């Protein structure tokens, strides 16, 4: 049997990969994708502990996180589309309208 | 130590998940990143099945792969001019980012190492829908309603922001 800590290691590595994506990549859509990856890592931790303690509250939390993630992607992509229509860029470093 | 079929499946799924997540983060091509995200979602869904969370696994495939990934692919296609191939993006700030990331990973790893874990919980693969439905309609009723309002707000907001003006 796989110990619970292995699942937690997997989720930690996924979370760290998501942070790398947010910090290193400059494409707006890639940053959104990396945030999705981090939310998946958190979901994995929730499900692991739900199994670990034998209660189902963790899985209910996962469903709520999925709701929040889909709302975030919907609004975020609407923003990306509007930004791209205005400036034709997806690079967050070049999108500094307030600083000009 | 004998490796059972269960362990083999776990290691395969973990390898699939981590490999495609690494491709997703480090690939120069945004399309490759989206495809890597697809396999990451499938790997995580498989690990949910191993953790006896069948309903969450199915919702993961339906919502993430069927909804969010398609939306993200639309975003990739819309925000790249197909005529001049500018799908690749560069990476920068690598050194400070790696320092931050290594710090966070060391903290998480130390927590996992120093915690005294009990043996993992029971693996009875019963359906979980009954318990989840009961919890959603009793203990988590108000968050459930608020989540529906959040989805409605996100729907209206996204349609308003992205409208043609």
């Amino acid at each position: 049997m796989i110990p619970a800590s292995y699942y937690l290691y997997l989720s930690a590595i996924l979370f760290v990969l998501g942070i790398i994506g947010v910090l290193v990549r400059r494409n707006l859509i890639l940053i959104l994708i990396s945030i999705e990856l981090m939310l998946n890592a958190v979901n994995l931790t929730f499900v692991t502990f739900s199994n670990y303690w034998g209660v189902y509250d963790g899985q209910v939390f996962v469903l709520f996180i999925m709701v929040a993630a889909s709302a975030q992607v919907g609004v975020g992509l609407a923003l990306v589309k509007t930004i791209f229509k205005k400036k034709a860029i997806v690079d967050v470093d070049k999108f500094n309208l307030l600083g000009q | 130590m004998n490796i059972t079929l269960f362990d083999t499946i776990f290691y395969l799924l973990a390898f699939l998940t981590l490999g495609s997540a690494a491709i997703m983060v480090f690939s120069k091509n945004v399309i490759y990143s989206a495809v890597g995200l697809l396999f990451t979602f499938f790997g995580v869904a498989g690990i949910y099945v191993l953790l006896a969370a069948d309903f969450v696994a199915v919702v993961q495939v339906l919502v993430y792969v069927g909804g969010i990934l398609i939306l993200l692919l639309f975003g990739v296609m819309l925000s790249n001019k197909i005529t001049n191939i500018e799908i690749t993006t560069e990476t920068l700030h690598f050194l400070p980012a790696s320092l931050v990331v290594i710090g966070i990973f060391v903290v998480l790893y130390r927590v996992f190492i120093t915690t005294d874990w009990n043996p993992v919980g029971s693996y009875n693969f019963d359906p979980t829908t009954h318990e989840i439905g009961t919890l959603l309609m009793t203990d988590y009723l108000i968050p459930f309603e608020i989540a529906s309002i959040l989805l409605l707000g996100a729907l209206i907001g996204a349609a308003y922001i992205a409208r043609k003006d």
Side-chain angles (χ1 to χ4, degrees), chain A residues 74-83 85, chain B residues 155-165:
Chain A
V75 177
L77 280 176
L79 284 172
V80 169
K81 178 181 172 291
T82 310
I83 289 172
K85 213 163 62 181
Chain B
L155 181 71
I156 296 172
Y160 178 75
I161 291 170
R163 81 195 186 286
K164 220 180 266 183
D165 48 4

Side-chain angles (χ1 to χ4, degrees), chain A residues 14-35:
Chain A
L14 275 183
F15 191 79
V16 161
L17 278 173
I19 297 175
I20 293 177
V22 169
L23 290 179
V24 167
R25 308 305 299 268
R26 292 295 92 197
N27 188 318
L28 207 48
I29 293 175
L30 269 168
I31 291 176
L32 273 177
I33 289 179
S34 303
I35 291 173

Side-chain angles (χ1 to χ4, degrees), chain B residues 16-159:
Chain B
L16 171 74
T17 308
L18 290 181
S20 45
I23 289 174
M24 188 218 93
V25 172
F26 296 113
S27 164
K28 298 275 182 214
N29 192 323
V30 183
I31 302 284
Y32 290 173
S33 294
V35 176
L37 190 71
L38 167 74
F39 285 104
T40 310
F41 284 161
F42 271 124
V44 172
I47 286 173
Y48 288 162
V49 172
L50 290 188
L51 282 167
D54 53 350
F55 181 66
V56 173
V58 172
V59 172
Q60 163 96 4
V61 172
L62 280 181
V63 171
Y64 274 103
V65 179
I68 291 179
L69 194 71
I70 302 297
L71 257 183
L72 283 169
L73 272 176
F74 266 115
V76 171
M77 302 292 179
L78 282 177
S79 66
N80 286 293
K81 296 191 190 77
I82 306 295
T83 47
N84 54 343
I85 308 297
E86 236 185 283
I87 301 182
T88 60
T89 55
E90 80 278 23
T91 62
L92 68 165
H93 312 313
F94 201 80
L95 187 65
S98 51
L99 285 180
V100 171
V101 163
I102 288 170
I104 292 173
F105 186 71
V106 164
V107 170
L108 285 175
Y109 191 76
R110 263 195 65 82
V111 169
F112 295 159
I113 283 290
T114 52
T115 310
D116 198 14
W117 298 107
N118 292 325
V120 77
S122 63
Y123 280 104
N124 53 341
F125 290 95
D126 292 334
T128 58
T129 40
H130 181 263
E131 284 81 3
I132 289 178
T134 309
L135 278 176
L136 272 180
M137 281 297 127
T138 54
D139 288 358
Y140 295 96
L141 185 57
I142 292 181
F144 185 68
E145 299 291 341
I146 292 175
S148 60
I149 294 175
L150 172 73
L151 277 181
L152 180 65
L155 181 71
I156 296 172

Side-chain angles (χ1 to χ4, degrees), chain A residues 5-77:
Chain A
S5 52
Y6 283 20
Y7 294 101
L8 296 178
Y9 295 145
L10 178 61
S11 129
I13 296 172
L14 275 183
F15 191 79
V16 161
L17 278 173
I19 297 175
I20 293 177
V22 169
L23 290 179
V24 167
R25 308 305 299 268
R26 292 295 92 197
N27 188 318
L28 207 48
I29 293 175
L30 269 168
I31 291 176
L32 273 177
I33 289 179
S34 303
I35 291 173
E36 291 303 315
L37 188 64
M38 283 198 277
L39 285 172
N40 254 279
V42 173
N43 283 350
L44 187 55
T45 311
F46 267 120
V47 175
T48 304
F49 279 109
S50 163
N51 186 288
Y52 185 75
W53 296 113
V55 294
Y56 293 93
D57 300 54
Q59 300 186 19
V60 177
F61 264 88
V62 167
L63 296 180
F64 288 135
I65 291 176
M66 283 178 181
V67 169
S70 44
Q72 170 226 334
V73 165
V75 177
L77 280 176

